[in-house]
Structure formats: structure tokens, C-alpha cells
Amino acid sequence: MSAATRPSWQLPRGIPRGVWDYAHDAEIARDYDADLADHPLFDFDEQILSQHLKNPGRVVDFGCGTGRAVIPLARRGFNVVAVDLSPAMLEIVGEKAARAGLKIDRVRANLVELDCLSAGMADCGVCLFSTLGMIRGRDNRQRALDHARRIIKPGGTFILHAHNIWHNFWNPLGRRWIVRHVWQAVRRRDVELGDKFFDYRGIPQVFVHAFPRRELTGSLRRAGFRIRKLITLDVTGCKALRFPALFGRARAYGWIAVCE
């Protein structure tokens, strides 16, 4: 049975059909870097990683995509473990590593089911570009964070990026969506506040969860992480918000949490 024909009831825990199809679309993987070329968030992420991951050690990228974070980390001397659900994206990571003469271990896995990685095997970890939000179900996202906490050594650094649900208020389409969505979340037990489905490059019902701040910080703390710094992102999503104390929970495009 091919990945494309796997029935929904056989999909991995926390993975909706749209995310599964996205992860197994080789064309999307091949075009990923070109589609997001020069995205300013990538430069900002790299600044954050350089600032908070200074001493090379073993780092796990939980949802590595095509390797935009792991390649620079490997060049800096980190022992990298790249984890992703997408075989095509992991293949691209391998190609990039080979061209650069770098050694990167690649693991194909669902972030909700990471028993294949041993406790305390990593000095630090990253989960960027709202990868956590592609997991459906609060319990499943919590399980992924619990795995990250188990895998990273005590005192190790974990850097996570997530979107903010309330930034939708800042454009007319977003306001209309959020009014309908809040009503759905109240009425339907299968919809959580922050769940969003959308079509992407011919793939219907791709899923991403956007977080209220309280949900994000609460989930990290329940996993056992201590939040050292919570960087509030401005509307562009690629730099820190000015005056975050001034309605930052509503104005933020999202957050980068630096934890230990």
C-alpha cells in the first residue's frame, strides 16, 4: 500500500489527511526551498539559534523539513539528528549534507511517536516554522513536547516556534474566519480553538494549529520545560514585536520560545 492510498484510519497518531498528503508530496519537497527563498523568518531563526545554541553538541531538529536549520548547525560543528515525517524532505537533507561534506543523521518519524530516540540523547533541540502546530489534537501536541523533553538532557536548550491565533484579527478575512471558528470550537467537540484547515498547492485540508499564548506556555511547562525567553514576533513574523507588553498577546504573529 502506497503512502498516498493509505486510508485515514491508518494514519499515524495526530496526523490529519492533509498533513500526511503534504508530507508525501515529492513535488512540494523539491520546490520547498525555492518557494520560501529569502523568507526573512529564516534569517531571524538563524540569529536566534546562533545566540542561544553556542556550544556545539548533539541537536535534534523535530520537523527538519529540507534542512534550513540543520545544515547551518552542522557547519558550526553540531552533531545533528534531523527528524521529519516526509521521506522526500529527508532525502533533500541528505543531498544537501552530501554536497556540503556534512554528516547528518536522518530519522523518519512522527513527532508524536518518538520512542525510537533514547532519553537524554541530545544536548539541545529545535522545532521551528510552526511544526508543532501541524499536529492535530492538544493531547498529541503535548505528547510531542513530552518526547522532546525526554530526549533533551536536563538543562539542555529547546527552541520552539508557534503561530498566534489572535493575529487573525488584524485583517478582514482573518476576522471573519475567527468569528466563525470560535463559534465552531464552542459547538463542536472535534474542533479545538486554533485549528485551521486550508488548501495548499492542490492538497485539500492541510492543517495547522495556531496557539493562544496561554496554551503554548502551559503546554511547555506541563512537559517540564522552563521558558527562559519568549520572543514575541511582529506582524511580519520575522522580527521581535516592539512594545510586546502593549496587547502583545493579540498583536503577535507568533512566538519563539527559548526553553530549558
Side-chain angles (χ1 to χ4, degrees):
M1 181 184 297
S2 70
T5 59
R6 180 179 290 197
S8 295
W9 64 270
Q10 286 188 351
L11 295 182
R13 179 174 176 175
I15 306 300
R17 164 60 62 186
V19 172
W20 177 261
D21 291 344
Y22 169 89
H24 289 84
D25 191 306
E27 184 177 350
I28 285 178
R30 288 291 165 188
D31 294 344
Y32 187 86
D33 289 338
D35 289 345
L36 297 175
D38 302 320
H39 195 299
L41 176 59
F42 296 173
D43 290 336
F44 189 66
D45 281 349
E46 193 163 345
Q47 292 174 30
I48 297 299
L49 297 186
S50 296
Q51 180 181 353
H52 294 281
L53 302 181
K54 295 182 178 180
N55 300 317
R58 176 173 284 179
V59 57
V60 177
D61 187 340
F62 300 94
C64 64
T66 58
R68 67 181 180 86
V70 296
I71 297 297
L73 286 168
R75 285 195 177 112
R76 291 174 51 202
F78 281 84
N79 179 351
V80 175
V81 179
V83 181
D84 206 277
L85 183 66
S86 169
M89 291 196 179
L90 287 171
E91 183 179 348
I92 292 171
V93 173
E95 292 170 359
K96 289 180 177 179
R99 287 196 298 270
L102 301 169
K103 181 183 182 299
I104 294 178
D105 294 321
R106 292 169 292 154
V107 177
R108 185 186 171 206
N110 174 13
L111 299 186
V112 182
E113 300 167 318
L114 283 179
D115 293 319
C116 56
L117 299 183
S118 60
M121 63 164 286
D123 300 291
C124 48
V126 300
C127 185
L128 302 174
F129 216 42
S130 200
T131 297
L132 182 67
M134 298 182 80
I135 298 170
R136 189 174 189 190
R138 183 174 295 193
D139 290 345
N140 292 326
R141 291 188 293 274
Q142 189 65 54
R143 186 177 175 88
L145 289 175
D146 291 344
H147 274 302
R149 179 64 188 86
R150 177 185 61 80
I151 291 163
I152 299 170
K153 294 176 182 177
T157 299
F158 178 54
I159 300 176
L160 171 73
H161 170 261
H163 291 318
N164 174 26
I165 181 177
W166 304 118
H167 87 271
N168 289 282
F169 272 124
W170 300 99
N171 68 79
L173 288 176
R175 282 194 291 273
R176 287 197 289 272
W177 172 79
I178 207 164
V179 169
R180 293 194 304 270
H181 171 66
V182 169
W183 179 239
Q184 283 184 326
V186 169
R187 295 180 63 232
R188 293 176 51 181
R189 302 181 70 177
D190 62 331
V191 176
E192 295 178 341
L193 184 66
D195 288 357
K196 190 171 187 177
F197 292 89
F198 56 95
D199 296 344
Y200 179 75
R201 291 188 55 174
I203 299 177
Q205 298 293 290
V206 176
F207 173 86
V208 68
H209 179 82
F211 294 77
R213 175 172 162 161
R214 180 177 295 180
E215 180 190 348
L216 177 65
T217 58
S219 295
L220 285 165
R221 290 178 178 128
R222 279 191 294 276
F225 288 110
R226 181 177 71 86
I227 301 171
R228 293 203 314 252
K229 187 174 185 178
L230 190 65
I231 301 165
T232 304
L233 301 173
D234 78 351
V235 68
T236 68
C238 59
K239 62 181 180 180
L241 179 71
R242 295 184 65 191
F243 311 116
L246 185 63
F247 304 110
R249 295 185 185 216
R251 294 167 55 220
Y253 185 82
W255 299 277
I256 295 177
V258 181
C259 313
E260 67 178 12

